[in-house]
Amino acid sequence: MLQVLFVLSEMVPYSKTGGLADVGGALPLALQQLGVDVRILVPWYGRPDLNEMHRFCSVNTPYSQEAAELWITPNRPGIFFLRYPDYYERDGGPYQNAQGQDWPDNPRRFALLNRVAVEMAQGRVSGLDWRPDLVHLNDWQTGLVPYLLDLETRIGSPRPATLFTIHNLAYQGRFDSAIMAELHLPAEDFHWQGTELYGAFSFIKAGLIYSDQISTVSPTYAREIQTEAFGMGLQGLLQQRSAQLTGILNGVDEVHWNPRADPYLPAHYNARSMIGKSQCKAQLQQSLGLEAQPDVFLLGMISRLVEQKGVDMVLDILPDLLQRGMQVVILGSGEKYFEERLQELAAVYPGRLAVRIAFDEGLSHRIEAGVDAFLMPSRFEPCGLNQMYSLRYGTLPIVHHTGGLADTVVDAGDFARDVERNGFVFSLAHSDDLHHAVLRAAALYREKSAWRHLQNQAMAGNHSWEHAALSYLALYHLILERRKSVQ
């Protein structure tokens, strides 16, 4: 049986700041269902309750004054929670304090996670008679593991294979080079072909340089990050490693996101009977104070309110859309400027624009089910999940042609591709292009049979985690075969 150690910094339902947590909560389970023996290592930030857990063992490392502890829960066997109260049990989030500022000791906090991962990978954890064939790392917070394992080989210790997955290249774990001495890392590796990135020590570069294979979360994003526009300064390195770079599209949790049984919805529906979707629309309008108009074109957006997500483009076109009689629902939080501008517009257009500055899981489900089309004009989007949720709910996405959005949404007017059309795509990250795409969608919405046909095609798509897990399993075997061939 293939044995895999899966290391990450957050996972649902225990912690979440973004899509990485969704991957951690779903992909290992899907791999286990394919017969892979997956063990997970993740920091414990305060959930689940300690009463649900028990201590497994202590782990001594040079990266902590006291021994770190691994805790497990009978509810999810195979998950090892790294507990070190001084580092992880704090008010605020996994990476930032309550004021939104990065924890100043982040390099030490996540170096400890990496060091414990190496102890597990090398079979040096007391009471754990298990050693992985492969270690699967995720984002900069785990980028030291391939490097530390390479240091093990320099003293004659064999190591497992490594796969490093990029979920968002914009976050690079760059810190002052002085941290290397504190982490007992050799200074001779601090150069442009090693761990140095523009004068700083970079966790993500260590992962990219020293891992056996690199993956990212969509095929298009794998190509994009090799370009100057999306490479975030690492495009040269990624071009050099292009033969070891693979894009695998994330999946969605088809149990949690299922319009046939979603507990957050006031009515359920499926592709054969969409009556429940109309009821969801009516309830959404009523609950958010929108005018009760069943035939109005209702747009939704659920997003971090930052420039990357194209919020500025949405702000540019909102007045015209609302003056044309459309309705818009926006849920999210982010930069104060965007929050305030949206709230100001909502006051100008009562009954047409509803803005909720919050994280609300239930409302996000009701928006996906209740709106007719979903706005996702991200300037870049490594994978994206909301567009896939929208497809499952018969809510046609309007997206910028980038990353995972380009891999999952096919424009309604694109007859050249031999795939089912399921949404609306615009090519340039510009307000005019987004505006034109929305107007195209609104025009087609008035053609009920054509709109219904697109909904059917959207809901028939397969974006399951099982499909993604099969691709990862094939990649695991390829990595192991390549290692055997060079040993």
Side-chain angles (χ1 to χ4, degrees):
M1 178 182 292
L2 180 62
Q3 298 182 159
V4 173
L5 175 61
F6 198 91
V7 188
L8 71 170
S9 57
E10 57 181 88
M11 68 176 291
V12 295
Y14 311 111
S15 54
K16 178 176 178 176
T17 68
L20 169 62
D22 294 298
V23 174
L27 177 56
L29 282 176
L31 288 166
Q32 288 171 351
Q33 291 169 0
L34 295 176
V36 181
D37 181 5
V38 183
R39 313 289 172 96
I40 303 166
L41 175 64
V42 63
W44 186 76
Y45 302 106
R47 290 186 62 200
D49 189 277
L50 277 176
N51 293 328
E52 302 172 11
M53 304 167 59
H54 64 269
R55 181 180 168 279
F56 180 79
C57 69
S58 296
V59 182
N60 291 299
T61 81
Y63 290 179
S64 56
Q65 292 183 344
E66 300 175 357
E69 294 181 346
L70 293 179
W71 287 58
I72 58 176
T73 172
N75 298 329
R76 288 288 300 272
I79 301 178
F80 291 83
F81 294 96
L82 173 60
R83 190 173 182 213
Y84 195 78
D86 286 351
Y87 280 179
Y88 307 120
E89 296 172 41
R90 302 173 172 179
D91 293 333
Y95 320 119
Q96 297 179 323
N97 61 24
Q99 290 72 46
Q101 301 167 323
D102 288 351
W103 295 112
D105 58 350
N106 271 346
R108 294 185 292 277
R109 297 173 68 233
F110 292 106
L112 178 60
L113 172 66
N114 285 247
R115 185 70 255 178
V116 173
V118 169
E119 297 305 299
M120 292 182 71
Q122 296 296 79
R124 296 195 290 252
V125 171
S126 176
L128 182 62
D129 185 18
W130 182 86
R131 187 170 181 177
D133 304 298
L134 181 143
V135 186
H136 187 161
L137 295 317
N138 296 273
D139 267 356
W140 76 261
Q141 296 89 349
T142 63
L144 280 190
V145 173
Y147 177 39
L148 294 172
L149 287 173
D150 185 78
L151 295 178
E152 296 266 335
T153 65
R154 299 181 197 180
I155 59 173
S157 297
R159 66 164 178 86
T162 52
L163 169 64
F164 184 77
T165 297
I166 304 165
H167 297 264
N168 191 333
L169 194 61
Y171 302 104
Q172 301 181 347
R174 291 166 61 177
F175 305 102
D176 190 287
S177 60
I179 195 65
M180 296 181 65
E182 186 176 336
L183 300 180
H184 310 289
L185 300 176
E188 58 264 29
D189 291 329
F190 186 71
H191 52 78
W192 70 274
Q193 292 178 308
T195 59
E196 183 265 339
L197 183 62
Y198 300 107
F201 178 81
S202 171
F203 277 52
I204 200 170
K205 191 178 180 190
L208 297 176
I209 287 280
Y210 292 100
S211 58
D212 292 313
Q213 184 83 15
I214 304 165
S215 72
T216 191
V217 291
S218 71
T220 295
Y221 192 60
R223 295 188 294 272
E224 288 177 340
I225 58 177
Q226 298 179 61
T227 68
E228 185 175 353
F230 295 93
M232 304 292 176
L234 288 162
Q235 62 271 14
L237 170 58
L238 292 164
Q239 290 168 12
Q240 292 173 14
R241 298 217 63 191
S242 61
Q244 293 85 39
L245 174 59
T246 304
I248 298 176
L249 194 68
N250 283 341
V252 298
D253 185 334
E254 294 188 323
V255 174
H256 190 59
W257 292 93
N258 180 3
R260 296 188 298 271
D262 191 329
Y264 291 114
L265 303 187
H268 296 132
Y269 60 95
N270 57 46
R272 292 186 302 275
S273 175
M274 301 286 279
I275 296 173
K277 185 168 177 62
S278 299
Q279 295 171 337
C280 289
K281 181 176 182 177
Q283 190 276 339
L284 185 67
Q285 289 173 319
Q286 179 184 18
S287 66
L288 296 179
L290 298 175
E291 297 170 3
Q293 297 178 345
D295 292 326
V296 72
F297 189 47
L298 177 56
L299 294 156
M301 184 176 186
I302 304 167
S303 177
R304 283 187 294 116
L305 303 179
V306 295
E307 187 175 358
Q308 181 219 323
K309 299 296 185 178
V311 182
D312 56 319
M313 292 186 280
V314 174
L315 278 167
D316 287 345
I317 69 172
L318 264 179
D320 182 74
L321 301 184
L322 298 168
Q323 289 164 17
R324 288 173 181 266
M326 301 180 202
Q327 293 180 350
V328 182
V329 176
I330 297 177
L331 170 66
S333 61
E335 296 179 16
K336 288 297 181 186
Y337 171 76
F338 291 133
E339 293 181 355
E340 291 171 357
R341 285 286 292 117
L342 287 169
Q343 289 172 320
E344 288 168 3
L345 276 175
V348 174
Y349 295 96
R352 295 224 159 264
L353 173 61
V355 175
R356 296 293 182 270
I357 305 300
F359 170 79
D360 189 323
E361 179 75 8
L363 181 57
S364 68
H365 284 245
R366 290 188 289 276
I367 290 173
E368 287 286 10
V371 301
D372 300 303
F374 192 88
L375 291 171
M376 207 163 174
S378 304
R379 284 181 164 79
F380 69 92
E381 194 67 61
C383 177
L385 291 173
N386 274 104
Q387 85 278 13
M388 290 189 275
Y389 300 154
S390 298
L391 293 171
R392 282 188 59 75
Y393 282 64
T395 296
L396 301 187
I398 302 172
V399 306
H400 176 216
H401 189 272
T402 187
L405 305 180
D407 291 325
T408 51
V409 182
V410 180
D411 191 81
D414 188 352
F415 294 93
R417 294 171 62 183
D418 187 24
V419 289
E420 300 291 354
R421 289 162 286 139
N422 57 10
F424 302 88
V425 183
F426 61 98
S427 299
L428 299 177
H430 191 277
S431 303
D432 290 344
D433 273 37
L434 170 60
H435 188 238
H436 181 61
V438 174
L439 295 185
R440 285 196 298 118
L444 194 64
Y445 176 73
R446 293 191 290 270
E447 300 178 26
K448 296 303 181 186
S449 61
W451 189 265
R452 186 74 176 84
H453 178 68
L454 281 180
Q455 286 180 310
N456 284 338
Q457 293 185 149
M459 297 178 79
N462 180 1
H463 301 293
S464 70
W465 270 112
E466 180 184 5
H467 184 74
L470 286 168
S471 297
Y472 274 107
L473 182 57
L475 183 58
Y476 292 165
H477 286 299
L478 176 64
I479 296 168
L480 293 171
E481 288 171 7
R482 283 179 176 173
R483 287 203 75 218
K484 286 181 182 178
S485 68
V486 297
Q487 288 177 344

